[in-house]
Amino acid sequence: VAYQPEFAEPITNLTVPVGRDATFQCMVLHLGGYRVGWVKADTKAIQAIHDHVITHNPRVSVSHNDYSTWNLHVKNVQEDDRGSYMCQINTDPMKSQVGYLDVVVPPDFINEDTSGDVMVPEGGTVKLTCRARGYPVPHVLWRREDNADLVIKEPTGVKTRVSTYQGEILKLSKITRSEMGAYLCIASNGVPPSVSKRIMVNVHFHPVIQVPNQLVGAPLGTDVTLECYVEASPRSINYWVRDS
């Protein structure tokens, strides 16, 4: 009795990072004189028939083992390779089964849509932006480099302190000098590696002077030190004058 060909097991779906290699396996029983073909199901483009590669894509090749395991190889996978691949046996009616190739892409920042270092006067507003590409779509998270809390101010005046903030845009309203420093935006989508960018926020404010001792006494002929502490951004030029 001549057995009809049949599939031994389903094709395994593949998830492959861009630039890596992918191999689909199609397991066939009792192939006999029939032939195995591969078709990209969404575009109907024939990839290979039996031992012969039909597509002009040089990254595609085929191999088989004892006429039972039929392999479709895609080297250096690109995003265009994403889609369904059909293994066919040329019976009448045709038998087929499908496997899906998902090509994932690690995150990368879109430079023209991502902020650089900024300067802002105290009390002003700064809007930091980090946009990232990748597949799946990356999530963007903000935190301070020194692990201090981020202060999120609502238009209603409500302040919220958070260790991290999710979103492409971080808005710092009515900024204070304590919010000056380095901010990190981190983009991740489950495909390593995650990427991060360091953005420096400089807050400018008028000099403030503190004097620990306003009156200093000393015996005649001895040395004396007058101290004042200056807080300013940008850094101030300090000098001393006498009342006279």
Side-chain angles (χ1 to χ4, degrees):
V1 177
Y3 288 103
Q4 277 284 303
E6 57 183 294
F7 296 112
E9 56 187 62
I11 296 177
T12 303
N13 295 328
L14 303 177
T15 299
V16 180
V18 67
R20 299 283 183 87
D21 298 344
T23 298
F24 281 112
Q25 280 194 341
C26 186
M27 308 288 286
V28 181
L29 299 176
H30 319 305
L31 183 61
Y34 292 99
R35 290 171 169 263
V36 173
W38 289 95
V39 175
K40 194 164 190 291
D42 46 1
T43 62
K44 306 289 192 253
I46 299 171
Q47 304 297 296
I49 298 174
H50 225 55
D51 294 321
H52 304 292
V53 175
I54 305 299
T55 179
H56 295 300
N57 185 346
R59 297 180 290 105
V60 171
S61 62
V62 287
S63 66
H64 64 87
N65 176 21
D66 297 333
Y67 292 92
S68 60
T69 304
W70 295 81
N71 303 311
L72 177 72
H73 309 280
V74 184
K75 287 189 174 182
N76 185 24
V77 296
Q78 302 300 307
E79 288 196 77
D80 289 347
D81 299 323
R82 189 184 291 123
S84 298
Y85 289 79
M86 183 183 292
C87 175
Q88 298 180 341
I89 306 172
N90 65 336
T91 51
D92 187 16
M94 176 195 74
K95 293 183 177 181
S96 66
Q97 60 176 1
V98 174
Y100 189 81
L101 173 61
D102 197 13
V103 181
V104 294
V105 183
D108 185 28
F109 288 118
I110 305 169
N111 288 330
E112 58 270 24
D113 292 335
T114 296
S115 300
D117 294 349
V118 293
M119 295 183 184
V120 60
E122 191 166 40
T125 296
V126 64
K127 191 166 77 170
L128 304 179
T129 304
C130 262
R131 298 201 196 279
R133 61 170 72 89
Y135 186 85
V137 175
H139 299 284
V140 176
L141 177 142
W142 295 88
R143 69 175 180 84
R144 285 187 58 159
E145 189 177 60
D146 60 3
N147 291 320
D149 283 345
L150 303 171
V151 182
I152 309 301
K153 303 181 185 81
E154 303 294 340
T156 57
V158 176
K159 290 183 186 179
T160 309
R161 289 185 169 272
V162 292
S163 56
T164 60
Y165 180 80
Q166 291 262 8
E168 293 183 331
I169 297 173
L170 175 65
K171 187 177 180 182
L172 303 173
S173 305
K174 296 180 181 176
I175 197 164
T176 64
R177 63 194 67 182
S178 64
E179 293 173 87
M180 179 161 50
Y183 289 73
L184 301 176
C185 67
I186 302 157
S188 57
N189 64 352
V191 185
S194 297
V195 290
S196 67
K197 178 164 186 188
R198 183 178 188 267
I199 299 172
M200 192 70 196
V201 176
N202 294 294
V203 179
H204 287 184
F205 54 89
H206 294 298
V208 176
I209 297 178
Q210 285 183 312
V211 180
N213 295 306
Q214 290 196 331
L215 180 63
V216 179
L220 192 67
T222 60
D223 296 343
V224 68
T225 299
L226 305 180
E227 285 184 320
C228 72
Y229 302 131
V230 181
E231 186 180 10
S233 175
R235 191 170 177 175
S236 59
I237 299 169
N238 305 322
Y239 58 94
W240 295 83
V241 295
R242 283 189 68 177
D243 279 349
S244 57

